[in-house]
Amino acid sequence: MAASNNNTIYAGTGEGFYNSDAITGDGILKSTDKGKTWKQLASTSDNEDFSYVNRIIVDPADENIILAATNTSIQKSIDGGTTWKSVFDDSKRIQHIIAHPNDFKILYASAYFGGVLKSSDKGNTWKYVFESNEGRIELAIAPSKPEVIYALDESSQLYVSTNSGADWSPSMIDAGVKDQFLGAQGWYDNAIAVSPDDPNLLTIGG
């Protein structure tokens, strides 16, 4: 949902985590009346870059600036989804994308068997700030202290950066306990959120 105009909502289709019963999608749907009616964005229809739209974020100041994390790339639109540009493509599935809560220029994304990416220019360019071979990574940023970022990989290992992604360290959680986070399905069941008031208080689901 666009923060600047709650009438505008985007919905991605496709289940891009490679479970055996995953459903292939067909692009992005858009509503301009708070979800009462929907239209498929023609630019994303029958387009392999949008067969699996894993996450969507919208510039809080501009409902027409959208970034989509898909199984082929990171796609960006500046005209409400009429046209798109591939802003990152290294043949890896992009499964998560998040924005700094106070500065949309700063974005983070995760690449399957790639690691964590960062952009400092609203997603026009990206670079790896943390490399990982542990498959799916879910990201969370602390609203009350945005320089604190968490990355939870599918093996249940939690990593923390306290300087906006420049450096990362494994958490101090005991190895015997961490397996309870996600069980054996971190590639599929993987969720993490940070309290809006406390950067050290996490909720994890697996």
Side-chain angles (χ1 to χ4, degrees):
M1 178 181 284
S4 60
N5 178 6
N6 291 168
N7 288 307
T8 300
I9 308 171
Y10 299 92
T13 65
E15 189 176 12
F17 299 103
Y18 275 31
N19 45 304
S20 61
D21 57 350
I23 302 299
T24 303
D26 188 16
I28 293 175
L29 306 175
K30 182 178 181 178
S31 174
T32 56
D33 55 13
K34 290 189 177 180
K36 293 178 182 178
T37 61
W38 296 84
K39 290 184 178 180
Q40 184 185 45
L41 292 175
S43 58
T44 66
S45 175
D46 196 27
N47 183 337
E48 65 178 8
D49 285 329
F50 295 91
S51 294
Y52 300 95
V53 181
N54 298 316
R55 292 323 206 295
I56 300 172
I57 55 174
V58 185
D59 185 338
D62 188 338
E63 66 191 89
N64 294 307
I65 297 179
I66 324 153
L67 288 104
T70 82
N71 267 19
T72 65
S73 53
I74 300 174
Q75 297 283 329
K76 182 177 181 178
S77 176
I78 60 172
D79 54 16
T82 301
T83 61
W84 296 83
K85 178 182 179 181
S86 177
V87 290
F88 181 82
D89 179 2
D90 71 347
S91 302
K92 290 183 171 63
R93 290 179 258 160
I94 308 300
Q95 296 183 320
H96 205 182
I97 185 168
I98 60 173
H100 187 292
N102 308 317
D103 186 357
F104 196 76
K105 292 193 301 293
I106 301 173
L107 310 175
Y108 301 90
S110 65
Y112 186 74
F113 282 109
V116 179
L117 298 152
K118 182 178 180 179
S119 173
S120 299
D121 56 9
K122 285 193 176 184
N124 293 321
T125 60
W126 296 83
K127 66 177 182 180
Y128 279 103
V129 291
F130 176 59
E131 296 185 7
S132 170
N133 291 314
E134 287 295 341
R136 179 179 174 183
I137 296 174
E138 287 292 288
L139 303 170
I141 190 167
S144 62
K145 195 175 183 181
E147 61 268 30
V148 176
I149 308 154
Y150 294 92
L152 179 61
D153 70 29
E154 68 176 60
S155 73
S156 293
Q157 179 61 62
L158 180 66
Y159 293 90
V160 186
S161 174
T162 58
N163 55 5
S164 301
D167 301 289
W168 295 82
S169 301
S171 72
M172 301 303 292
I173 297 171
D174 180 79
V177 175
K178 70 171 184 162
D179 289 339
Q180 297 178 15
F181 286 172
L182 307 178
Q185 283 203 172
W187 59 273
Y188 186 71
D189 305 312
N190 188 339
I192 180 171
V194 189
S195 164
D197 304 314
D198 184 349
N200 298 309
L201 180 58
L202 310 181
T203 299
I204 290 171

